[in-house]
Amino acid sequence: MRIFIAAELPQELIETLSETSALLRGAVSGRYVAPDRFHVTFAFLGETDAARVWELSSLLEDACAGSPPIDAHLGALGNFGRRKSATLWQEIRSDGRLEALAEKLRHRLSTSGFPFDGKGFLAHVTLMRSADLSSGVLPMPHVAGGTIDTVALFKSDLSGEHPVYTPLSEVVLEGGGG
Ligand code: ATP
Ligand code: MG
């Protein structure tokens, strides 16, 4: 099955990202990500043996142990890929906490023999795919803050019209201290 590990987002961030997405609809053509699918990908594993899902869940649990919830806020818009077919996203900042958790998680994946896409981690929430950015100026995004407290192991099913992400296990961040 196709697997990735991502942070889920609190309602206040989802609502603000939806407002930015609505602004983009007026400016950019492409495929919009539905708000109930917004997330921050920590590691994309891709095709993974179903028999190792239990092991992955416990790895995720260990990697998150002792990490308190993460205060985050939305930043600038950015994009990957080609100008006429870009992935358009909004940055999410957390004083390095999201980066530290991604690093810890990726380190554990490596030492446990789980391959993942090795591109550097960049904390972002994808708002559009196949976006045509050639036709003008992007709007100023809405910004807001919120607390991230859930990280999940997701199965991604791309066989339908829209991707379907199903959480296979979820970890609540609840450690004390920083
Ligand atoms: P679609 O591929 O149909 O556009 P999607 O990208 O949302 O849908 P997946 O390809 O399963 O669905 O990706 C799940 C998550 O993992 C998304 O956040 C995606 O950006 C990220 N991702 C996918 N492929 C990679 C990759 N090669 N490297 C890093 N992250 C990836
Ligand atoms: Mg994809």
PDB file of all heavy atoms in Angstrom, residues 70-109:
ATOM      1  N   ILE A  70       2.765  21.295  18.913  1.00  0.00           N
ATOM      2  CA  ILE A  70       3.611  22.275  18.216  1.00  0.00           C
ATOM      3  C   ILE A  70       2.806  23.510  17.818  1.00  0.00           C
ATOM      4  O   ILE A  70       1.838  23.406  17.054  1.00  0.00           O
ATOM      5  CB  ILE A  70       4.220  21.618  16.952  1.00  0.00           C
ATOM      6  CG1 ILE A  70       5.118  20.445  17.365  1.00  0.00           C
ATOM      7  CG2 ILE A  70       4.985  22.637  16.111  1.00  0.00           C
ATOM      8  CD1 ILE A  70       5.679  19.633  16.195  1.00  0.00           C
ATOM      9  N   ASP A  71       3.201  24.654  18.346  1.00  0.00           N
ATOM     10  CA  ASP A  71       2.565  25.912  17.923  1.00  0.00           C
ATOM     11  C   ASP A  71       3.117  26.286  16.559  1.00  0.00           C
ATOM     12  O   ASP A  71       4.330  26.315  16.361  1.00  0.00           O
ATOM     13  CB  ASP A  71       2.878  27.037  18.920  1.00  0.00           C
ATOM     14  CG  ASP A  71       2.135  26.833  20.232  1.00  0.00           C
ATOM     15  OD1 ASP A  71       1.040  26.233  20.201  1.00  0.00           O
ATOM     16  OD2 ASP A  71       2.665  27.253  21.274  1.00  0.00           O
ATOM     17  N   ALA A  72       2.212  26.562  15.642  1.00  0.00           N
ATOM     18  CA  ALA A  72       2.636  26.841  14.261  1.00  0.00           C
ATOM     19  C   ALA A  72       1.824  28.005  13.710  1.00  0.00           C
ATOM     20  O   ALA A  72       0.747  28.317  14.221  1.00  0.00           O
ATOM     21  CB  ALA A  72       2.413  25.601  13.399  1.00  0.00           C
ATOM     22  N   HIS A  73       2.375  28.647  12.691  1.00  0.00           N
ATOM     23  CA  HIS A  73       1.580  29.661  11.991  1.00  0.00           C
ATOM     24  C   HIS A  73       1.884  29.634  10.505  1.00  0.00           C
ATOM     25  O   HIS A  73       2.959  29.203  10.078  1.00  0.00           O
ATOM     26  CB  HIS A  73       1.734  31.055  12.599  1.00  0.00           C
ATOM     27  CG  HIS A  73       3.115  31.597  12.546  1.00  0.00           C
ATOM     28  ND1 HIS A  73       4.060  31.337  13.504  1.00  0.00           N
ATOM     29  CD2 HIS A  73       3.721  32.378  11.628  1.00  0.00           C
ATOM     30  CE1 HIS A  73       5.190  31.945  13.197  1.00  0.00           C
ATOM     31  NE2 HIS A  73       5.012  32.576  12.049  1.00  0.00           N
ATOM     32  N   LEU A  74       0.907  30.080   9.753  1.00  0.00           N
ATOM     33  CA  LEU A  74       1.013  30.022   8.290  1.00  0.00           C
ATOM     34  C   LEU A  74       1.866  31.167   7.781  1.00  0.00           C
ATOM     35  O   LEU A  74       1.829  32.276   8.331  1.00  0.00           O
ATOM     36  CB  LEU A  74      -0.384  30.079   7.672  1.00  0.00           C
ATOM     37  CG  LEU A  74      -1.294  28.924   8.092  1.00  0.00           C
ATOM     38  CD1 LEU A  74      -2.731  29.156   7.609  1.00  0.00           C
ATOM     39  CD2 LEU A  74      -0.756  27.601   7.562  1.00  0.00           C
ATOM     40  N   GLY A  75       2.645  30.898   6.728  1.00  0.00           N
ATOM     41  CA  GLY A  75       3.525  31.903   6.148  1.00  0.00           C
ATOM     42  C   GLY A  75       3.193  32.169   4.683  1.00  0.00           C
ATOM     43  O   GLY A  75       2.027  32.240   4.292  1.00  0.00           O
ATOM     44  N   ALA A  76       4.245  32.288   3.893  1.00  0.00           N
ATOM     45  CA  ALA A  76       4.112  32.693   2.492  1.00  0.00           C
ATOM     46  C   ALA A  76       3.655  31.539   1.602  1.00  0.00           C
ATOM     47  O   ALA A  76       3.723  30.380   1.984  1.00  0.00           O
ATOM     48  CB  ALA A  76       5.468  33.190   2.002  1.00  0.00           C
ATOM     49  N   LEU A  77       3.201  31.886   0.412  1.00  0.00           N
ATOM     50  CA  LEU A  77       2.934  30.876  -0.615  1.00  0.00           C
ATOM     51  C   LEU A  77       4.249  30.514  -1.296  1.00  0.00           C
ATOM     52  O   LEU A  77       5.149  31.348  -1.410  1.00  0.00           O
ATOM     53  CB  LEU A  77       1.964  31.417  -1.672  1.00  0.00           C
ATOM     54  CG  LEU A  77       0.536  31.723  -1.217  1.00  0.00           C
ATOM     55  CD1 LEU A  77      -0.259  32.330  -2.374  1.00  0.00           C
ATOM     56  CD2 LEU A  77      -0.152  30.469  -0.697  1.00  0.00           C
ATOM     57  N   GLY A  78       4.332  29.289  -1.763  1.00  0.00           N
ATOM     58  CA  GLY A  78       5.511  28.852  -2.503  1.00  0.00           C
ATOM     59  C   GLY A  78       5.100  27.780  -3.490  1.00  0.00           C
ATOM     60  O   GLY A  78       3.940  27.336  -3.483  1.00  0.00           O
ATOM     61  N   ASN A  79       6.015  27.380  -4.351  1.00  0.00           N
ATOM     62  CA  ASN A  79       5.660  26.328  -5.308  1.00  0.00           C
ATOM     63  C   ASN A  79       6.843  25.456  -5.667  1.00  0.00           C
ATOM     64  O   ASN A  79       7.991  25.863  -5.570  1.00  0.00           O
ATOM     65  CB  ASN A  79       5.022  26.934  -6.562  1.00  0.00           C
ATOM     66  CG  ASN A  79       5.969  27.838  -7.309  1.00  0.00           C
ATOM     67  OD1 ASN A  79       6.749  27.391  -8.133  1.00  0.00           O
ATOM     68  ND2 ASN A  79       5.944  29.133  -6.996  1.00  0.00           N
ATOM     69  N   PHE A  80       6.517  24.235  -6.058  1.00  0.00           N
ATOM     70  CA  PHE A  80       7.487  23.277  -6.600  1.00  0.00           C
ATOM     71  C   PHE A  80       7.104  23.029  -8.044  1.00  0.00           C
ATOM     72  O   PHE A  80       5.933  23.127  -8.401  1.00  0.00           O
ATOM     73  CB  PHE A  80       7.367  21.902  -5.924  1.00  0.00           C
ATOM     74  CG  PHE A  80       7.593  21.847  -4.451  1.00  0.00           C
ATOM     75  CD1 PHE A  80       6.719  21.111  -3.646  1.00  0.00           C
ATOM     76  CD2 PHE A  80       8.681  22.459  -3.861  1.00  0.00           C
ATOM     77  CE1 PHE A  80       6.943  21.001  -2.273  1.00  0.00           C
ATOM     78  CE2 PHE A  80       8.901  22.345  -2.489  1.00  0.00           C
ATOM     79  CZ  PHE A  80       8.028  21.624  -1.704  1.00  0.00           C
ATOM     80  N   GLY A  81       8.084  22.609  -8.821  1.00  0.00           N
ATOM     81  CA  GLY A  81       7.751  22.084 -10.144  1.00  0.00           C
ATOM     82  C   GLY A  81       7.738  23.139 -11.227  1.00  0.00           C
ATOM     83  O   GLY A  81       8.332  24.205 -11.092  1.00  0.00           O
ATOM     84  N   ARG A  82       7.037  22.820 -12.301  1.00  0.00           N
ATOM     85  CA  ARG A  82       7.068  23.653 -13.499  1.00  0.00           C
ATOM     86  C   ARG A  82       6.039  24.783 -13.397  1.00  0.00           C
ATOM     87  O   ARG A  82       4.994  24.628 -12.786  1.00  0.00           O
ATOM     88  CB  ARG A  82       6.784  22.804 -14.733  1.00  0.00           C
ATOM     89  CG  ARG A  82       7.929  21.862 -15.078  1.00  0.00           C
ATOM     90  CD  ARG A  82       7.479  20.813 -16.082  1.00  0.00           C
ATOM     91  NE  ARG A  82       6.554  19.865 -15.483  1.00  0.00           N
ATOM     92  CZ  ARG A  82       5.481  19.357 -16.088  1.00  0.00           C
ATOM     93  NH1 ARG A  82       5.205  19.701 -17.327  1.00  0.00           N
ATOM     94  NH2 ARG A  82       4.701  18.510 -15.463  1.00  0.00           N
ATOM     95  N   ARG A  83       6.348  25.883 -14.040  1.00  0.00           N
ATOM     96  CA  ARG A  83       5.501  27.074 -13.948  1.00  0.00           C
ATOM     97  C   ARG A  83       4.065  26.811 -14.423  1.00  0.00           C
ATOM     98  O   ARG A  83       3.114  27.361 -13.885  1.00  0.00           O
ATOM     99  CB  ARG A  83       6.172  28.186 -14.784  1.00  0.00           C
ATOM    100  CG  ARG A  83       5.520  29.524 -14.642  1.00  0.00           C
ATOM    101  CD  ARG A  83       6.516  30.657 -14.367  1.00  0.00           C
ATOM    102  NE  ARG A  83       5.775  31.857 -13.960  1.00  0.00           N
ATOM    103  CZ  ARG A  83       5.484  32.132 -12.689  1.00  0.00           C
ATOM    104  NH1 ARG A  83       5.870  31.348 -11.713  1.00  0.00           N
ATOM    105  NH2 ARG A  83       4.796  33.230 -12.390  1.00  0.00           N
ATOM    106  N   LYS A  84       3.934  25.953 -15.433  1.00  0.00           N
ATOM    107  CA  LYS A  84       2.591  25.696 -15.956  1.00  0.00           C
ATOM    108  C   LYS A  84       1.932  24.488 -15.295  1.00  0.00           C
ATOM    109  O   LYS A  84       0.777  24.171 -15.573  1.00  0.00           O
ATOM    110  CB  LYS A  84       2.650  25.499 -17.477  1.00  0.00           C
ATOM    111  CG  LYS A  84       2.713  26.824 -18.223  1.00  0.00           C
ATOM    112  CD  LYS A  84       2.664  26.593 -19.727  1.00  0.00           C
ATOM    113  CE  LYS A  84       2.329  27.875 -20.477  1.00  0.00           C
ATOM    114  NZ  LYS A  84       0.935  28.290 -20.313  1.00  0.00           N
ATOM    115  N   SER A  85       2.684  23.783 -14.489  1.00  0.00           N
ATOM    116  CA  SER A  85       2.098  22.630 -13.795  1.00  0.00           C
ATOM    117  C   SER A  85       2.800  22.469 -12.446  1.00  0.00           C
ATOM    118  O   SER A  85       3.586  21.559 -12.239  1.00  0.00           O
ATOM    119  CB  SER A  85       2.257  21.376 -14.656  1.00  0.00           C
ATOM    120  OG  SER A  85       1.674  20.288 -13.990  1.00  0.00           O
ATOM    121  N   ALA A  86       2.463  23.401 -11.562  1.00  0.00           N
ATOM    122  CA  ALA A  86       3.182  23.488 -10.287  1.00  0.00           C
ATOM    123  C   ALA A  86       2.358  22.913  -9.145  1.00  0.00           C
ATOM    124  O   ALA A  86       1.139  22.792  -9.234  1.00  0.00           O
ATOM    125  CB  ALA A  86       3.512  24.951  -9.994  1.00  0.00           C
ATOM    126  N   THR A  87       3.076  22.582  -8.080  1.00  0.00           N
ATOM    127  CA  THR A  87       2.425  22.285  -6.804  1.00  0.00           C
ATOM    128  C   THR A  87       2.517  23.580  -6.004  1.00  0.00           C
ATOM    129  O   THR A  87       3.613  24.115  -5.806  1.00  0.00           O
ATOM    130  CB  THR A  87       3.168  21.149  -6.086  1.00  0.00           C
ATOM    131  OG1 THR A  87       3.067  19.976  -6.892  1.00  0.00           O
ATOM    132  CG2 THR A  87       2.557  20.863  -4.722  1.00  0.00           C
ATOM    133  N   LEU A  88       1.353  24.084  -5.590  1.00  0.00           N
ATOM    134  CA  LEU A  88       1.297  25.382  -4.918  1.00  0.00           C
ATOM    135  C   LEU A  88       0.964  25.142  -3.447  1.00  0.00           C
ATOM    136  O   LEU A  88       0.015  24.415  -3.143  1.00  0.00           O
ATOM    137  CB  LEU A  88       0.230  26.223  -5.609  1.00  0.00           C
ATOM    138  CG  LEU A  88       0.002  27.658  -5.178  1.00  0.00           C
ATOM    139  CD1 LEU A  88       1.282  28.465  -5.233  1.00  0.00           C
ATOM    140  CD2 LEU A  88      -1.044  28.271  -6.095  1.00  0.00           C
ATOM    141  N   TRP A  89       1.747  25.733  -2.587  1.00  0.00           N
ATOM    142  CA  TRP A  89       1.583  25.447  -1.149  1.00  0.00           C
ATOM    143  C   TRP A  89       1.751  26.692  -0.307  1.00  0.00           C
ATOM    144  O   TRP A  89       2.236  27.716  -0.766  1.00  0.00           O
ATOM    145  CB  TRP A  89       2.575  24.369  -0.702  1.00  0.00           C
ATOM    146  CG  TRP A  89       3.987  24.502  -1.209  1.00  0.00           C
ATOM    147  CD1 TRP A  89       4.522  23.839  -2.288  1.00  0.00           C
ATOM    148  CD2 TRP A  89       5.049  25.329  -0.696  1.00  0.00           C
ATOM    149  NE1 TRP A  89       5.844  24.195  -2.459  1.00  0.00           N
ATOM    150  CE2 TRP A  89       6.191  25.098  -1.492  1.00  0.00           C
ATOM    151  CE3 TRP A  89       5.151  26.219   0.364  1.00  0.00           C
ATOM    152  CZ2 TRP A  89       7.421  25.737  -1.276  1.00  0.00           C
ATOM    153  CZ3 TRP A  89       6.370  26.867   0.597  1.00  0.00           C
ATOM    154  CH2 TRP A  89       7.482  26.619  -0.226  1.00  0.00           C
ATOM    155  N   GLN A  90       1.338  26.557   0.958  1.00  0.00           N
ATOM    156  CA  GLN A  90       1.562  27.620   1.929  1.00  0.00           C
ATOM    157  C   GLN A  90       2.503  27.095   3.008  1.00  0.00           C
ATOM    158  O   GLN A  90       2.336  25.982   3.527  1.00  0.00           O
ATOM    159  CB  GLN A  90       0.236  28.097   2.547  1.00  0.00           C
ATOM    160  CG  GLN A  90       0.430  29.346   3.409  1.00  0.00           C
ATOM    161  CD  GLN A  90      -0.847  30.112   3.691  1.00  0.00           C
ATOM    162  OE1 GLN A  90      -1.934  29.710   3.257  1.00  0.00           O
ATOM    163  NE2 GLN A  90      -0.733  31.212   4.402  1.00  0.00           N
ATOM    164  N   GLU A  91       3.478  27.919   3.269  1.00  0.00           N
ATOM    165  CA  GLU A  91       4.502  27.580   4.273  1.00  0.00           C
ATOM    166  C   GLU A  91       3.885  27.525   5.680  1.00  0.00           C
ATOM    167  O   GLU A  91       2.952  28.259   5.980  1.00  0.00           O
ATOM    168  CB  GLU A  91       5.542  28.694   4.176  1.00  0.00           C
ATOM    169  CG  GLU A  91       6.587  28.761   5.220  1.00  0.00           C
ATOM    170  CD  GLU A  91       7.354  30.098   5.114  1.00  0.00           C
ATOM    171  OE1 GLU A  91       6.830  31.084   4.552  1.00  0.00           O
ATOM    172  OE2 GLU A  91       8.467  30.120   5.636  1.00  0.00           O
ATOM    173  N   ILE A  92       4.442  26.649   6.527  1.00  0.00           N
ATOM    174  CA  ILE A  92       3.990  26.606   7.914  1.00  0.00           C
ATOM    175  C   ILE A  92       5.214  26.655   8.827  1.00  0.00           C
ATOM    176  O   ILE A  92       6.153  25.871   8.671  1.00  0.00           O
ATOM    177  CB  ILE A  92       3.054  25.398   8.168  1.00  0.00           C
ATOM    178  CG1 ILE A  92       2.572  25.368   9.607  1.00  0.00           C
ATOM    179  CG2 ILE A  92       3.638  24.072   7.762  1.00  0.00           C
ATOM    180  CD1 ILE A  92       1.266  24.588   9.783  1.00  0.00           C
ATOM    181  N   ARG A  93       5.223  27.630   9.717  1.00  0.00           N
ATOM    182  CA  ARG A  93       6.404  27.902  10.556  1.00  0.00           C
ATOM    183  C   ARG A  93       6.139  27.495  12.004  1.00  0.00           C
ATOM    184  O   ARG A  93       5.031  27.654  12.490  1.00  0.00           O
ATOM    185  CB  ARG A  93       6.714  29.396  10.546  1.00  0.00           C
ATOM    186  CG  ARG A  93       7.050  29.905   9.171  1.00  0.00           C
ATOM    187  CD  ARG A  93       7.537  31.330   9.277  1.00  0.00           C
ATOM    188  NE  ARG A  93       7.722  31.886   7.944  1.00  0.00           N
ATOM    189  CZ  ARG A  93       7.816  33.180   7.695  1.00  0.00           C
ATOM    190  NH1 ARG A  93       7.728  34.050   8.684  1.00  0.00           N
ATOM    191  NH2 ARG A  93       8.007  33.596   6.471  1.00  0.00           N
ATOM    192  N   SER A  94       7.199  27.032  12.659  1.00  0.00           N
ATOM    193  CA  SER A  94       7.010  26.507  14.017  1.00  0.00           C
ATOM    194  C   SER A  94       8.267  26.664  14.866  1.00  0.00           C
ATOM    195  O   SER A  94       8.488  25.856  15.757  1.00  0.00           O
ATOM    196  CB  SER A  94       6.647  25.034  13.930  1.00  0.00           C
ATOM    197  OG  SER A  94       7.740  24.325  13.342  1.00  0.00           O
ATOM    198  N   ASP A  95       9.106  27.672  14.595  1.00  0.00           N
ATOM    199  CA  ASP A  95      10.378  27.807  15.325  1.00  0.00           C
ATOM    200  C   ASP A  95      11.207  26.532  15.254  1.00  0.00           C
ATOM    201  O   ASP A  95      11.860  26.143  16.227  1.00  0.00           O
ATOM    202  CB  ASP A  95      10.133  28.149  16.809  1.00  0.00           C
ATOM    203  CG  ASP A  95       9.810  29.617  17.012  1.00  0.00           C
ATOM    204  OD1 ASP A  95      10.185  30.423  16.133  1.00  0.00           O
ATOM    205  OD2 ASP A  95       9.159  29.935  18.023  1.00  0.00           O
ATOM    206  N   GLY A  96      11.135  25.837  14.140  1.00  0.00           N
ATOM    207  CA  GLY A  96      11.972  24.650  13.951  1.00  0.00           C
ATOM    208  C   GLY A  96      11.412  23.360  14.539  1.00  0.00           C
ATOM    209  O   GLY A  96      12.012  22.298  14.386  1.00  0.00           O
ATOM    210  N   ARG A  97      10.266  23.429  15.199  1.00  0.00           N
ATOM    211  CA  ARG A  97       9.748  22.219  15.855  1.00  0.00           C
ATOM    212  C   ARG A  97       9.281  21.163  14.839  1.00  0.00           C
ATOM    213  O   ARG A  97       9.492  19.966  15.043  1.00  0.00           O
ATOM    214  CB  ARG A  97       8.590  22.579  16.795  1.00  0.00           C
ATOM    215  CG  ARG A  97       8.981  23.471  17.988  1.00  0.00           C
ATOM    216  CD  ARG A  97       9.432  22.683  19.208  1.00  0.00           C
ATOM    217  NE  ARG A  97       8.728  21.426  19.365  1.00  0.00           N
ATOM    218  CZ  ARG A  97       7.521  21.269  19.898  1.00  0.00           C
ATOM    219  NH1 ARG A  97       6.859  22.308  20.361  1.00  0.00           N
ATOM    220  NH2 ARG A  97       6.984  20.080  20.000  1.00  0.00           N
ATOM    221  N   LEU A  98       8.626  21.603  13.770  1.00  0.00           N
ATOM    222  CA  LEU A  98       8.187  20.631  12.753  1.00  0.00           C
ATOM    223  C   LEU A  98       9.408  19.994  12.101  1.00  0.00           C
ATOM    224  O   LEU A  98       9.441  18.786  11.845  1.00  0.00           O
ATOM    225  CB  LEU A  98       7.311  21.313  11.691  1.00  0.00           C
ATOM    226  CG  LEU A  98       5.893  21.673  12.142  1.00  0.00           C
ATOM    227  CD1 LEU A  98       5.236  22.635  11.150  1.00  0.00           C
ATOM    228  CD2 LEU A  98       5.029  20.416  12.289  1.00  0.00           C
ATOM    229  N   GLU A  99      10.435  20.818  11.840  1.00  0.00           N
ATOM    230  CA  GLU A  99      11.662  20.315  11.227  1.00  0.00           C
ATOM    231  C   GLU A  99      12.337  19.292  12.136  1.00  0.00           C
ATOM    232  O   GLU A  99      12.827  18.255  11.681  1.00  0.00           O
ATOM    233  CB  GLU A  99      12.627  21.474  10.937  1.00  0.00           C
ATOM    234  CG  GLU A  99      12.193  22.398   9.803  1.00  0.00           C
ATOM    235  CD  GLU A  99      11.075  23.364  10.153  1.00  0.00           C
ATOM    236  OE1 GLU A  99      10.684  23.443  11.346  1.00  0.00           O
ATOM    237  OE2 GLU A  99      10.558  24.037   9.237  1.00  0.00           O
ATOM    238  N   ALA A 100      12.353  19.587  13.440  1.00  0.00           N
ATOM    239  CA  ALA A 100      13.013  18.674  14.387  1.00  0.00           C
ATOM    240  C   ALA A 100      12.274  17.336  14.446  1.00  0.00           C
ATOM    241  O   ALA A 100      12.902  16.271  14.472  1.00  0.00           O
ATOM    242  CB  ALA A 100      13.077  19.319  15.770  1.00  0.00           C
ATOM    243  N   LEU A 101      10.949  17.407  14.438  1.00  0.00           N
ATOM    244  CA  LEU A 101      10.187  16.155  14.495  1.00  0.00           C
ATOM    245  C   LEU A 101      10.351  15.359  13.194  1.00  0.00           C
ATOM    246  O   LEU A 101      10.517  14.138  13.217  1.00  0.00           O
ATOM    247  CB  LEU A 101       8.706  16.466  14.776  1.00  0.00           C
ATOM    248  CG  LEU A 101       7.808  15.268  15.052  1.00  0.00           C
ATOM    249  CD1 LEU A 101       8.357  14.391  16.173  1.00  0.00           C
ATOM    250  CD2 LEU A 101       6.385  15.723  15.383  1.00  0.00           C
ATOM    251  N   ALA A 102      10.358  16.057  12.071  1.00  0.00           N
ATOM    252  CA  ALA A 102      10.564  15.384  10.775  1.00  0.00           C
ATOM    253  C   ALA A 102      11.927  14.699  10.755  1.00  0.00           C
ATOM    254  O   ALA A 102      12.062  13.547  10.312  1.00  0.00           O
ATOM    255  CB  ALA A 102      10.456  16.386   9.626  1.00  0.00           C
ATOM    256  N   GLU A 103      12.912  15.398  11.270  1.00  0.00           N
ATOM    257  CA  GLU A 103      14.285  14.869  11.293  1.00  0.00           C
ATOM    258  C   GLU A 103      14.368  13.596  12.139  1.00  0.00           C
ATOM    259  O   GLU A 103      14.943  12.588  11.732  1.00  0.00           O
ATOM    260  CB  GLU A 103      15.212  15.969  11.839  1.00  0.00           C
ATOM    261  CG  GLU A 103      16.667  15.591  11.972  1.00  0.00           C
ATOM    262  CD  GLU A 103      17.262  15.123  10.661  1.00  0.00           C
ATOM    263  OE1 GLU A 103      16.903  15.700   9.603  1.00  0.00           O
ATOM    264  OE2 GLU A 103      18.049  14.160  10.683  1.00  0.00           O
ATOM    265  N   LYS A 104      13.740  13.646  13.300  1.00  0.00           N
ATOM    266  CA  LYS A 104      13.756  12.504  14.221  1.00  0.00           C
ATOM    267  C   LYS A 104      13.058  11.300  13.585  1.00  0.00           C
ATOM    268  O   LYS A 104      13.556  10.172  13.602  1.00  0.00           O
ATOM    269  CB  LYS A 104      13.024  12.926  15.493  1.00  0.00           C
ATOM    270  CG  LYS A 104      13.227  12.025  16.674  1.00  0.00           C
ATOM    271  CD  LYS A 104      12.686  12.731  17.915  1.00  0.00           C
ATOM    272  CE  LYS A 104      12.690  11.804  19.112  1.00  0.00           C
ATOM    273  NZ  LYS A 104      11.952  12.400  20.243  1.00  0.00           N
ATOM    274  N   LEU A 105      11.927  11.574  12.999  1.00  0.00           N
ATOM    275  CA  LEU A 105      11.145  10.525  12.350  1.00  0.00           C
ATOM    276  C   LEU A 105      11.915   9.911  11.173  1.00  0.00           C
ATOM    277  O   LEU A 105      12.012   8.680  11.030  1.00  0.00           O
ATOM    278  CB  LEU A 105       9.847  11.168  11.873  1.00  0.00           C
ATOM    279  CG  LEU A 105       8.806  10.317  11.220  1.00  0.00           C
ATOM    280  CD1 LEU A 105       8.349   9.230  12.184  1.00  0.00           C
ATOM    281  CD2 LEU A 105       7.627  11.196  10.845  1.00  0.00           C
ATOM    282  N   ARG A 106      12.492  10.747  10.338  1.00  0.00           N
ATOM    283  CA  ARG A 106      13.221  10.271   9.163  1.00  0.00           C
ATOM    284  C   ARG A 106      14.452   9.466   9.587  1.00  0.00           C
ATOM    285  O   ARG A 106      14.792   8.469   8.951  1.00  0.00           O
ATOM    286  CB  ARG A 106      13.615  11.462   8.279  1.00  0.00           C
ATOM    287  CG  ARG A 106      12.424  12.032   7.524  1.00  0.00           C
ATOM    288  CD  ARG A 106      12.745  13.400   6.955  1.00  0.00           C
ATOM    289  NE  ARG A 106      11.733  13.845   6.018  1.00  0.00           N
ATOM    290  CZ  ARG A 106      11.989  14.229   4.764  1.00  0.00           C
ATOM    291  NH1 ARG A 106      13.222  14.260   4.317  1.00  0.00           N
ATOM    292  NH2 ARG A 106      11.012  14.615   3.974  1.00  0.00           N
ATOM    293  N   HIS A 107      15.089   9.914  10.665  1.00  0.00           N
ATOM    294  CA  HIS A 107      16.252   9.176  11.165  1.00  0.00           C
ATOM    295  C   HIS A 107      15.829   7.762  11.571  1.00  0.00           C
ATOM    296  O   HIS A 107      16.489   6.777  11.224  1.00  0.00           O
ATOM    297  CB  HIS A 107      16.870   9.937  12.345  1.00  0.00           C
ATOM    298  CG  HIS A 107      18.043   9.232  12.941  1.00  0.00           C
ATOM    299  ND1 HIS A 107      19.267   9.166  12.307  1.00  0.00           N
ATOM    300  CD2 HIS A 107      18.171   8.531  14.090  1.00  0.00           C
ATOM    301  CE1 HIS A 107      20.094   8.466  13.049  1.00  0.00           C
ATOM    302  NE2 HIS A 107      19.449   8.060  14.142  1.00  0.00           N
ATOM    303  N   ARG A 108      14.703   7.671  12.272  1.00  0.00           N
ATOM    304  CA  ARG A 108      14.228   6.344  12.709  1.00  0.00           C
ATOM    305  C   ARG A 108      13.810   5.480  11.526  1.00  0.00           C
ATOM    306  O   ARG A 108      14.022   4.275  11.533  1.00  0.00           O
ATOM    307  CB  ARG A 108      13.078   6.483  13.692  1.00  0.00           C
ATOM    308  CG  ARG A 108      13.610   6.909  15.038  1.00  0.00           C
ATOM    309  CD  ARG A 108      12.523   7.066  16.058  1.00  0.00           C
ATOM    310  NE  ARG A 108      13.120   7.675  17.235  1.00  0.00           N
ATOM    311  CZ  ARG A 108      13.169   7.107  18.439  1.00  0.00           C
ATOM    312  NH1 ARG A 108      12.616   5.948  18.636  1.00  0.00           N
ATOM    313  NH2 ARG A 108      13.745   7.724  19.441  1.00  0.00           N
ATOM    314  N   LEU A 109      13.207   6.101  10.534  1.00  0.00           N
ATOM    315  CA  LEU A 109      12.836   5.335   9.332  1.00  0.00           C
ATOM    316  C   LEU A 109      14.093   4.748   8.695  1.00  0.00           C
ATOM    317  O   LEU A 109      14.134   3.571   8.326  1.00  0.00           O
ATOM    318  CB  LEU A 109      12.101   6.225   8.326  1.00  0.00           C
ATOM    319  CG  LEU A 109      10.681   6.654   8.709  1.00  0.00           C
ATOM    320  CD1 LEU A 109      10.182   7.734   7.747  1.00  0.00           C
ATOM    321  CD2 LEU A 109       9.715   5.463   8.704  1.00  0.00           C
TER     322      LEU A 109
END
